[in-house]
Amino acid sequence: MTGDDCIFCRIVRGEIPARKLYEDDEILAFHDIHPVAPVHFLIIPKVHVASLYEAGPEHQAVLGKVLGMAGRLAREAGAADGFRCIVNTGRVGRQEVYHLHLHVIGGPETLPAMLRR
Ligand code: 5GP
Ligand code: ZN
């Protein structure tokens, strides 16, 4: 899939509405449409990168920015006592949208254990 028919590229272009938390030239943060916790938003690079598998050295700066904004935006969104960042990647990682995104998940309650045995 290229950027043309990618749902997150369409959000970047304003063709699909999203509840935005933050935007600049390189990244966009918006609330997940199906939140799994009181705080659940996504941070994406505006450039179309399908997944971490496709990310290369040329994406390091923007991915650093994505990660570097997580704490500030989580605090502003109300995740005062912590949060979890997830990047689902590929089939095994159960990625559904193939435009690289960082989930930021938090809220007042303790999250479930990351993985169960
Ligand atoms: P993943 O690819 O990491 O499995 O998850 C994709 C996430 O994107 C899901 O949590 C899903 O709820 C969210 N999502 C899918 N389509 C849309 C959309 O059109 N708008 C928003 N805000 N979130 C979306
Ligand atoms: Zn895209």
Side-chain angles (χ1 to χ4, degrees):
M1 180 183 286
T2 65
D4 288 348
D5 42 6
C6 165
I7 194 161
F8 287 176
C9 283
R10 296 189 68 194
I11 287 175
V12 168
R13 292 195 297 264
E15 295 168 10
I16 294 176
R19 291 172 55 221
K20 296 179 184 178
L21 295 103
Y22 176 82
E23 180 169 19
D24 64 26
D25 288 350
E26 293 176 311
I27 69 171
L28 173 65
F30 53 96
H31 291 280
D32 195 290
I33 204 165
H34 293 128
V36 299
V39 174
H40 185 180
F41 61 88
L42 307 173
I43 313 178
I44 67 171
K46 287 190 167 179
V47 62
H48 181 82
V49 183
S51 82
L52 276 185
Y53 273 135
E54 282 75 21
E58 69 274 30
H59 302 117
Q60 283 181 7
V62 73
L63 293 181
K65 197 168 180 180
V66 164
L67 207 52
M69 284 300 293
R72 181 187 130 186
L73 296 179
R75 202 178 301 113
E76 289 175 3
D81 287 333
F83 57 90
R84 181 173 294 154
C85 288
I86 299 174
V87 183
N88 295 321
T89 302
R91 179 184 64 83
V92 170
R94 299 203 183 185
Q95 185 175 359
E96 291 174 3
V97 176
Y98 278 79
H99 179 129
L100 202 165
H101 51 280
L102 179 74
H103 291 260
V104 180
I105 298 170
E109 304 302 325
T110 306
L111 294 170
M114 187 167 72
L115 293 171
R116 298 186 193 283
R117 290 185 190 282

